């Protein structure tokens, strides 16, 4: 079973469809033009989960990295004998 996309919302209940037939001077046939208007809106949860949350985590880790003290005299590799 396929679920509809969760990040988009159709803002208007009915979309408009306009059909127009046009005859050009160069061609013997009529051409049909369909103009379909559909208004959709992206839901804000998409931005929160995919943009704001990862940016906040990266910023928090960067701030912690600035304020942690580094002791140059400690050896980061220790060998147990």
């Amino acid at each position: 079973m396929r679920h509809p996309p969760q990040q988009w919302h159709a803002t208007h209940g009915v979309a408009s469809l306009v059909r127009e037939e046009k005859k050009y001077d160069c061609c013997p046939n009529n051409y049909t033009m369909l103009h379909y208007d559909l208004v959709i809106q992206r839901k804000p949860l998409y931005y929160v989960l995919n943009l704001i949350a990862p940016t906040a985590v990266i910023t928090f880790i960067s701030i912690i990295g600035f304020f942690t003290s580094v002791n140059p005299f400690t050896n980061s590799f220790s060998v147990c004998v």
Side-chain angles (χ1 to χ4, degrees), residues 54-72:
T55 304
V57 169
I58 291 171
T59 303
F60 182 69
I61 291 172
S62 298
I63 290 172
I64 289 174
F66 274 119
F67 292 114
T68 55
S69 63
V70 176
N71 190 354

Side-chain angles (χ1 to χ4, degrees), residues 22-31:
K22 194 168 188 179
K23 175 143 176 62
Y24 293 100
D25 296 333
C26 65
C27 304
N29 299 330
N30 290 339
Y31 287 95

Side-chain angles (χ1 to χ4, degrees), residues 3-78:
H3 298 286
Q6 298 296 320
Q7 65 184 353
W8 295 100
H9 172 70
T11 58
H12 291 89
V14 178
S16 65
L17 177 65
V18 178
R19 182 179 184 204
E20 177 183 339
E21 288 190 14
K22 194 168 188 179
K23 175 143 176 62
Y24 293 100
D25 296 333
C26 65
C27 304
N29 299 330
N30 290 339
Y31 287 95
T32 304
M33 186 181 330
L34 297 175
H35 185 78
Y36 190 77
D37 288 330
L38 177 66
V39 180
I40 57 176
Q41 180 181 11
R42 189 185 300 261
K43 293 183 179 179
L45 184 63
Y46 173 81
Y47 290 110
V48 171
L49 294 179
N50 293 330
L51 296 174
I52 296 174
T55 304
V57 169
I58 291 171
T59 303
F60 182 69
I61 291 172
S62 298
I63 290 172
I64 289 174
F66 274 119
F67 292 114
T68 55
S69 63
V70 176
N71 190 354
F73 299 110
T74 59
N75 190 359
S76 62
F77 298 103
S78 62

